[in-house]
Short mmCIF file of all heavy atoms in Angstrom, two decimals:
data_model
loop_
_atom_site.label_atom_id
_atom_site.label_comp_id
_atom_site.label_asym_id
_atom_site.label_seq_id
_atom_site.Cartn_x
_atom_site.Cartn_y
_atom_site.Cartn_z
N ALA A 99 -2.65 4.25 -0.94
CA ALA A 99 -1.28 3.96 -0.46
C ALA A 99 -0.55 3.16 -1.61
O ALA A 99 0.58 3.49 -1.98
CB ALA A 99 -1.26 3.20 0.79
N ILE A 100 -1.22 2.14 -2.12
CA ILE A 100 -0.61 1.27 -3.11
C ILE A 100 -0.40 2.03 -4.38
O ILE A 100 0.76 1.96 -5.00
CB ILE A 100 -1.50 0.04 -3.36
CG1 ILE A 100 -1.35 -0.94 -2.15
CG2 ILE A 100 -1.05 -0.71 -4.62
CD1 ILE A 100 -2.25 -2.10 -2.19
N PHE A 101 -1.37 2.74 -4.88
CA PHE A 101 -1.28 3.48 -6.15
C PHE A 101 -0.16 4.61 -6.06
O PHE A 101 0.58 4.79 -6.98
CB PHE A 101 -2.62 4.04 -6.56
CG PHE A 101 -3.41 3.15 -7.42
CD1 PHE A 101 -4.29 2.19 -6.83
CD2 PHE A 101 -3.36 3.19 -8.79
CE1 PHE A 101 -5.07 1.35 -7.58
CE2 PHE A 101 -4.13 2.33 -9.55
CZ PHE A 101 -4.97 1.43 -8.97
N THR A 102 -0.15 5.29 -4.88
CA THR A 102 0.80 6.38 -4.77
C THR A 102 2.27 5.78 -4.73
O THR A 102 3.17 6.27 -5.44
CB THR A 102 0.64 7.15 -3.45
OG1 THR A 102 -0.72 7.67 -3.48
CG2 THR A 102 1.64 8.27 -3.35
N GLY A 103 2.43 4.69 -3.96
CA GLY A 103 3.79 4.06 -3.89
C GLY A 103 4.22 3.58 -5.24
O GLY A 103 5.40 3.73 -5.66
N LEU A 104 3.30 2.96 -6.02
CA LEU A 104 3.58 2.41 -7.33
C LEU A 104 3.95 3.52 -8.30
O LEU A 104 4.93 3.46 -9.02
CB LEU A 104 2.33 1.65 -7.80
CG LEU A 104 2.48 0.96 -9.17
CD1 LEU A 104 3.48 -0.17 -9.16
CD2 LEU A 104 1.07 0.45 -9.66
N ILE A 105 3.08 4.56 -8.30
CA ILE A 105 3.35 5.61 -9.36
C ILE A 105 4.65 6.32 -9.07
O ILE A 105 5.41 6.59 -10.04
CB ILE A 105 2.14 6.60 -9.31
CG1 ILE A 105 0.91 5.96 -9.84
CG2 ILE A 105 2.51 7.88 -10.08
CD1 ILE A 105 -0.39 6.78 -9.63
N VAL A 106 4.95 6.69 -7.80
CA VAL A 106 6.15 7.43 -7.51
C VAL A 106 7.38 6.57 -7.85
O VAL A 106 8.31 7.04 -8.53
CB VAL A 106 6.20 7.86 -6.05
CG1 VAL A 106 7.53 8.44 -5.65
CG2 VAL A 106 5.07 8.88 -5.75
N ALA A 107 7.43 5.32 -7.35
CA ALA A 107 8.59 4.45 -7.55
C ALA A 107 8.78 4.10 -8.97
O ALA A 107 9.92 4.22 -9.55
CB ALA A 107 8.48 3.20 -6.71
N VAL A 108 7.75 3.68 -9.67
CA VAL A 108 7.87 3.26 -11.09
C VAL A 108 8.16 4.50 -11.97
O VAL A 108 8.98 4.45 -12.89
CB VAL A 108 6.62 2.49 -11.56
CG1 VAL A 108 6.70 2.28 -13.06
CG2 VAL A 108 6.49 1.17 -10.79
N GLY A 109 7.41 5.61 -11.68
CA GLY A 109 7.69 6.82 -12.45
C GLY A 109 9.12 7.28 -12.38
O GLY A 109 9.72 7.62 -13.41
N TYR A 110 9.65 7.26 -11.20
CA TYR A 110 11.08 7.68 -11.00
C TYR A 110 11.99 6.74 -11.70
O TYR A 110 12.95 7.13 -12.43
CB TYR A 110 11.41 7.76 -9.52
CG TYR A 110 12.80 8.19 -9.19
CD1 TYR A 110 13.03 9.52 -8.86
CD2 TYR A 110 13.96 7.28 -9.19
CE1 TYR A 110 14.34 9.95 -8.57
CE2 TYR A 110 15.16 7.71 -8.90
CZ TYR A 110 15.38 9.04 -8.57
OH TYR A 110 16.66 9.45 -8.36
N THR A 111 11.71 5.42 -11.57
CA THR A 111 12.55 4.43 -12.20
C THR A 111 12.67 4.56 -13.71
O THR A 111 13.68 4.49 -14.32
CB THR A 111 12.08 2.98 -11.80
OG1 THR A 111 12.15 2.89 -10.41
CG2 THR A 111 12.97 1.92 -12.42
N ILE A 112 11.45 4.78 -14.30
CA ILE A 112 11.38 4.83 -15.75
C ILE A 112 11.91 6.21 -16.31
O ILE A 112 12.75 6.22 -17.17
CB ILE A 112 9.85 4.66 -16.18
CG1 ILE A 112 9.36 3.26 -15.86
CG2 ILE A 112 9.74 4.94 -17.72
CD1 ILE A 112 10.05 2.14 -16.56
N LEU A 113 11.52 7.27 -15.70
CA LEU A 113 11.88 8.58 -16.20
C LEU A 113 13.31 9.03 -15.83
O LEU A 113 13.92 9.76 -16.56
CB LEU A 113 10.86 9.62 -15.71
CG LEU A 113 9.41 9.39 -16.11
CD1 LEU A 113 8.52 10.45 -15.54
CD2 LEU A 113 9.29 9.38 -17.62
#
Side-chain angles (χ1 to χ4, degrees):
I100 288 176
F101 271 87
T102 302
L104 181 68
I105 291 170
V106 172
V108 173
Y110 183 95
T111 301
I112 296 297
L113 299 178

